[in-house]
Every structure is written in structure tokens, then in C-alpha cells.
């Protein structure tokens, strides 16, 4: 198996209020079949064995579907591969001798906890402001008792692909969360079940988004490029419409 | 009143304010462009156009005040957004890769500032001050100075760059994004910016290069 040697420049910060700085490591031989996180595992094994503090980073499923992992790699959230989470990024995309700069997602709304680990609970707070459907579900309904046109279902599912990893916020020059909120608003508003509470949802989520300290969207499109799930900014346009519709036409 | 306050306070409300005021300013740009184009037919046609505008009397003052108001709102909200956005990411990235083709959107605050300074200089050149000669002579007088001609060309290039993002962006902000017409808006914005930039820039270029222009 081919191996490569890399220089890793990683952001180290002991705690939320500590002063952080970059620390440089030589990776040693890394198999190109490894994932990015496995490469960090190798580094951490070595650090632990020599009695040093391992690099803290977030991860869970390592299958690209949970949204826990993510760092800014050479200036790009989740690294250079399009529509790929950091755990699914493989070392074959790097060359022998490369220097890789690894930084945490940076935003006022995402507090840095340690090294590359950030607190994304601002997204959970956003969901509690209306990113759900509150209906009495009752007994299981007959199939197709609520008609949903296939193209609408497809669009809703495309938006529902969002895993809440925060790469959109990390990529945005203004640290705006509009792609995330746009995706959540869209995937519910497009379906009949979510349609009922759309006005309350749009107003509540946007108000909370502003309160949490996310920035404003300048239509720079970097979120869409960084999104590991390929969520389109068409969802932001829908969020804009939903918000204005709720402001002017609803009783909320 | 609470509705207006709610809109101004919210991020999306501000987005709409930028889009709507930007649309008004774009319409002004196009109107001004069409009017200025009279200059290509010679000084008599151009002076007649200027005289026609002045003969509108009170109407032109009302339009001027409205235009100034739209400018004020667009700039005020832009400054608010600029500082809010700075605060949203207190710690900068060490390495930042800016994706493909976003240098027009990235430079919006700076091109905006250049346009603001340009508008002030332009108003001092042509609006305020004593009117002793015809408008065509004023144009020659100002733009035959190389410093002014260069400043006008530079500012108009910044304006074209600003519009090249702004045109598409205002539709996106108003929620108009659909595969049916996205390409039209994207490329329509670029073509509009190119036309606006080219026609406006033609005037200082003609004054500089053609000694007989407007004589």
C-alpha cells in the first residue's frame, strides 16, 4: 500500500477561553487508503504513546451521515473534495510532502471547546424554534391519504439531506446560518404536514438565528460549495420568501 | 411601526431592504444611462436634454430627494450589515480559500465605498456649484483633466463590478431563484453590468481621446 508523509499544521487550544495557536507535526507514513480522521487517529496514537495531549476532534458515525465531524482543511470546510464530509475524505487526495492546515469551524455562534471541537448546539436551539411539526399523529393513516406531488417530495428530501454539520456557517464569509435554516424551513414547508405551521416556523427560526449571533447572508454562494450534502441556495431563496410571506400575510 | 422595526431588525428584512433599494438604484442607473447617451449625438442634443430635465421644475427636486433617500437607506443598512458580519466571526481563519468566481460579491462593501465617494465627487462636479457654462462644456471641462478622467474610469469599473453581483443578488434576496430562469438572471446581471460600465466609461474616454467631442 502506498504511503505518504505530510506536514500537519493543527490549531491547538486548551479550552474555550484559552489562547490558541498552531502546532506543527510530521505525520509519519500515512496509508493513502486511510480516511482523514484515521490519519488523525494515527497522529493521536503517537501523541498518547509519547505522553502528549492528543488533538481533540469531533466524530461519530464516520459514514458521512451524522454531521459530527468537520474542520477547515486548507481553507475549505471538510477539505477539498466536493460533497464529502471530513470522515469520508481519503488521504489519496493528498500528495506526498503536502502541508495540511487544519482549523476549527470559526463563528461567534459556535463556541470553540478544545482544539478542533466546537459547540454546535446553536443549531439545536434553532430547531427548537420551529424546526419540527406538531400534529397529533393518531393511528397509522392509509397510504396516499395525503397527496404529495413527487417533484415536491424530491425537493423536500433534497433539503432534508442536511446533516447539520455547520460547514455552511464555516464557509460563509459572514458566518451566516441561512443555508441550514433554509434547508430546515424548506424540507418542512414543501410538505403538507409542515405547511400548517410554516409562518410561525419562519418567524421563530429567523428571530432565533439573529439572536444567536449568526451573520447576514450576502449571497456569496460559498455555503453551497462547501455543503457535504449539496444543499442548494434555492433553499435560501425559499427561506427569504417564507419569512416575508409570514411577516406580511400571516397572523403570527 | 412595529412591523417596520421587526423588518429592520431581522437579517432577512435587511436583505430585502438592500434588494429593493438596490433595485431602485439600478433603475436610476439605467435612466441616467439612457439620458446621458444623448451626449453621443453631440453637444446640442445633450444640452437640450439637460434643459428638458431642468424644465421639470419641482418634479426633479422631488425625485432628487427620493433618490437621496434610497441612497441613504442602501448605505445605512450596508454599514449595519458590514459591522454585524464582522462581529459574527471574531476569529479569522489562517487559510481561506475563496471559491470560484466570488470576487465581485466579496468586494461589495469596498466597491460600494468607492461608488459613494464617486457620487459625492460627481455631485460636486455637476450638481452643486455655480452654473456659468452649458452642461456639455462642464462635461468637457471636468473630464479633460486626466486626474478626473482616471478617477471616473476607476469608479465606473467599481460600479460595474458592484452591479455584476448586485443584479443577480437582488433577485435571490427577493426569493426569485428557479432553474427555469437562473441562467437568465446570472448572465443577465453580467451583461447589464457590462453595458452599464461600457456606456458610462465611453464618455470620459471620448473626451480624453477625441479632441472634437462636444465642441
Amino acid at each position: 500500500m502506498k504511503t505518504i508523509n505530510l506536514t500537519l499544521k493543527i490549531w491547538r487550544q486548551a479550552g474555550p477561553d484559552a489562547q490558541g495557536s498552531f502546532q506543527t507535526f510530521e505525520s509519519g507514513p500515512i496509508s493513502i487508503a486511510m480516511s482523514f480522521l484515521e490519519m488523525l487517529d494515527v497522529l493521536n496514537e503517537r501523541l498518547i504513546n509519547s505522553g502528549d495531549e492528543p488533538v481533540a476532534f469531533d466524530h461519530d458515525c464516520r459514514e458521512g451521515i451524522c454531521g459530527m465531524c468537520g474542520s477547515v482543511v486548507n481553507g475549505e470546510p471538510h477539505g477539498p473534495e466536493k460533497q464529502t464530509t471530513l470522515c469520508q475524505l481519503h488521504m489519496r487526495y493528498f500528495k506526498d510532502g503536502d502541508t495540511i492546515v487544519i482549523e476549527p469551524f470559526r463563528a461567534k455562534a459556535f463556541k470553540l471547546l478544545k482544539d478542533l471541537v466546537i459547540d454546535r448546539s446553536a443549531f439545536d436551539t434553532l430547531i427548537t424554534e420551529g424546526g419540527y411539526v406538531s400534529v397529533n399523529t393518531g393511528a397509522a393513516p392509509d397510504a396516499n391519504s395525503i397527496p404529495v406531488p413527487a417533484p415536491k417530495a424530491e425537493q423536500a428530501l433534497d433539503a432534508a439531506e442536511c446533516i447539520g454539520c455547520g460547514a455552511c456557517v464555516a464557509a460563509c464569509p459572514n458566518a451566516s446560518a441561512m443555508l441550514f435554516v433554509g434547508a430546515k424551513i424548506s424540507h418542512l414547508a414543501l410538505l403538507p404536514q409542515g405547511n400548517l405551521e410554516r409562518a410561525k416556523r419562519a418567524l421563530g427560526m429567523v428571530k432565533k438565528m439573529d439572536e444567536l449571533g449568526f451573520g447576514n447572508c450576502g449571497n456569496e454562494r460559498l455555503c453551497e460549495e462547501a455543503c457535504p450534502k449539496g444543499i442548494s441556495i434555492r433553499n435560501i431563496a425559499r427561506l427569504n420568501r417564507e419569512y416575508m410571506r409570514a411577516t406580511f400575510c400571516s397572523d403570527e | 411601526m412595529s412591523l417596520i422595526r421587526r423588518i429592520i431588525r431581522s437579517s432577512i428584512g435587511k436583505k430585502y431592504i438592500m434588494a429593493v433599494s438596490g433595485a431602485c438604484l439600478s433603475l436610476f442607473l439605467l435612466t441616467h444611462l439612457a439620458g446621458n447617451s444623448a451626449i453621443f449625438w453631440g453637444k446640442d442634443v445633450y444640452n437640450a436634454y439637460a434643459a428638458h430635465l431642468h424644465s421639470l421644475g419641482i418634479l426633479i427636486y422631488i425625485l432628487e430627494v427620493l433618490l437621496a433617500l434610497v441612497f441613504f437607506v442602501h448605505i445605512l443598512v450596508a454599514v449595519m450589515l458590514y459591522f454585524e458580519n464582522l462581529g459574527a466571526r471574531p476569529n479569522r481563519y489562517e487559510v481561506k480559500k475563496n471559491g470560484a468566481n466570488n470576487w465581485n460579491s466579496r468586494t461589495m462593501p469596498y466597491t460600494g465605498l468607492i461608488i459613494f465617494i464617486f457620487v459625492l465627487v460627481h455631485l460636486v462636479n455637476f450638481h452643486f456649484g455655480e452654473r456659468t457654462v452649458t452642461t456639455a462644456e462642464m462635461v468637457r471641462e471636468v473630464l479633460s483633466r486626466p486626474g478626473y478622467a482616471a478617477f471616473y474610469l476607476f469608479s465606473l469599473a467599481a460600479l460595474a463590478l458592484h452591479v455584476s453581483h448586485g443584479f443577480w443578488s437582488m433577485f435571490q434576496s427577493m426569493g426569485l431563484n428557479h432553474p427555469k430562469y437562473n441562467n437568465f438572471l446570472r448572465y443577465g446581471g453580467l451583461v447589464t453590468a457590462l453595458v452599464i460600465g461600457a456606456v458610462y466609461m465611453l464618455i470620459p474616454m471620448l473626451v480624453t481621446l477625441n479632441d472634437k467631442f462636444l465642441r
Side-chain angles (χ1 to χ4, degrees), chain B residues 103-120:
Chain B
W103 55 293
N104 53 359
S105 58
R106 222 171 347 132
T107 50
M108 284 307 262
Y110 316 112
T111 47
L113 182 67
I114 295 169
I115 295 165
F116 176 64
I117 296 167
F118 170 74
V119 168
L120 294 182

Side-chain angles (χ1 to χ4, degrees), chain A residues 103 106 169 172 210 219 241, chain B residues 11 85 88-89 94 169 175:
Chain A
E103 298 175 76
R106 293 188 189 277
V169 177
C172 177
D210 296 344
N219 299 330
R241 291 201 300 272
Chain B
S11 51
N85 291 340
R89 176 166 297 129
E94 172 84 359
S169 184

Side-chain angles (χ1 to χ4, degrees), chain A residues 9 22 72 74-77 80 101 103-109 169-176 178 203 206 209-210 213-222 224-225 232-234 236-241 243-244 246-248 252, chain B residues 3 6-7 9-17 80-82 84-102 104-109 165 168-179 181-182 186:
Chain A
K9 219 178 136 188
F22 281 97
V72 174
N74 289 339
E76 290 179 283
V101 182
E103 298 175 76
F105 286 177
R106 293 188 189 277
K108 186 180 153 202
V169 177
C172 177
N174 309 330
S176 166
M178 290 217 193
L203 294 175
V206 170
M209 173 176 78
D210 296 344
F214 289 108
N216 302 282
C217 170
N219 299 330
E220 308 216 26
R221 308 193 296 268
L222 294 176
E224 168 180 81
E225 278 181 44
S232 159
I233 54 164
R234 199 179 159 190
I236 299 183
R238 190 178 290 107
L239 164 68
N240 298 342
R241 291 201 300 272
Y243 181 77
M244 272 300 156
T247 302
F248 286 106
E252 296 291 338
Chain B
L3 183 68
R6 195 156 101 183
I7 292 171
R9 279 199 186 150
S10 89
S11 51
I12 294 182
K14 283 198 272 276
K15 202 179 205 180
Y16 268 85
I17 294 172
M80 283 163 71
L81 288 170
Y82 180 78
E84 278 180 22
N85 291 340
L86 275 188
R89 176 166 297 129
N91 300 305
R92 309 272 103 188
Y93 285 113
E94 172 84 359
V95 184
K96 188 85 195 91
K97 192 172 251 170
N98 289 295
N101 301 327
N102 85 321
N104 53 359
S105 58
R106 222 171 347 132
T107 50
M108 284 307 262
H165 176 65
W168 166 80
S169 184
M170 72 191 178
F171 289 104
Q172 165 75 10
S173 287
M174 292 187 215
L176 293 168
N177 177 322
H178 197 284
Y181 50 70
N182 273 352
R186 187 70 60 86

Side-chain angles (χ1 to χ4, degrees), chain A residues 60-114:
Chain A
D60 192 3
C61 75
R62 298 208 179 192
E63 292 179 343
I65 53 170
C66 77
M68 274 312 280
C69 69
S71 296
V72 174
V73 175
N74 289 339
E76 290 179 283
H78 292 299
E81 270 301 294
K82 292 289 156 223
Q83 298 196 21
T84 307
T85 55
L86 195 61
C87 62
Q88 289 294 301
L89 175 68
H90 284 79
M91 297 316 290
R92 57 179 173 268
Y93 295 109
F94 296 93
K95 287 196 296 291
D96 190 39
D98 275 358
T99 296
I100 305 179
V101 182
I102 311 169
E103 298 175 76
F105 286 177
R106 293 188 189 277
K108 186 180 153 202
F110 290 161
K111 193 166 81 173
L112 197 151
L113 299 177
K114 187 177 182 184

Side-chain angles (χ1 to χ4, degrees), chain A residues 5 20 23 36 38 45 52 58 87 122 168 193 216:
Chain A
N5 287 282
Q23 193 177 354
F36 199 88
E38 283 166 342
E45 286 287 335
D52 293 321
D58 242 336
C87 62
C168 45
Q193 295 89 339
N216 302 282

Side-chain angles (χ1 to χ4, degrees), chain A residues 129-130 132 134 197-205 246 250 252:
Chain A
E129 292 298 313
Y132 51 81
S134 50
E197 294 162 295
R198 62 199 284 188
K200 192 175 157 207
R201 178 182 308 121
L203 294 175
M205 289 184 84
S250 80
E252 296 291 338

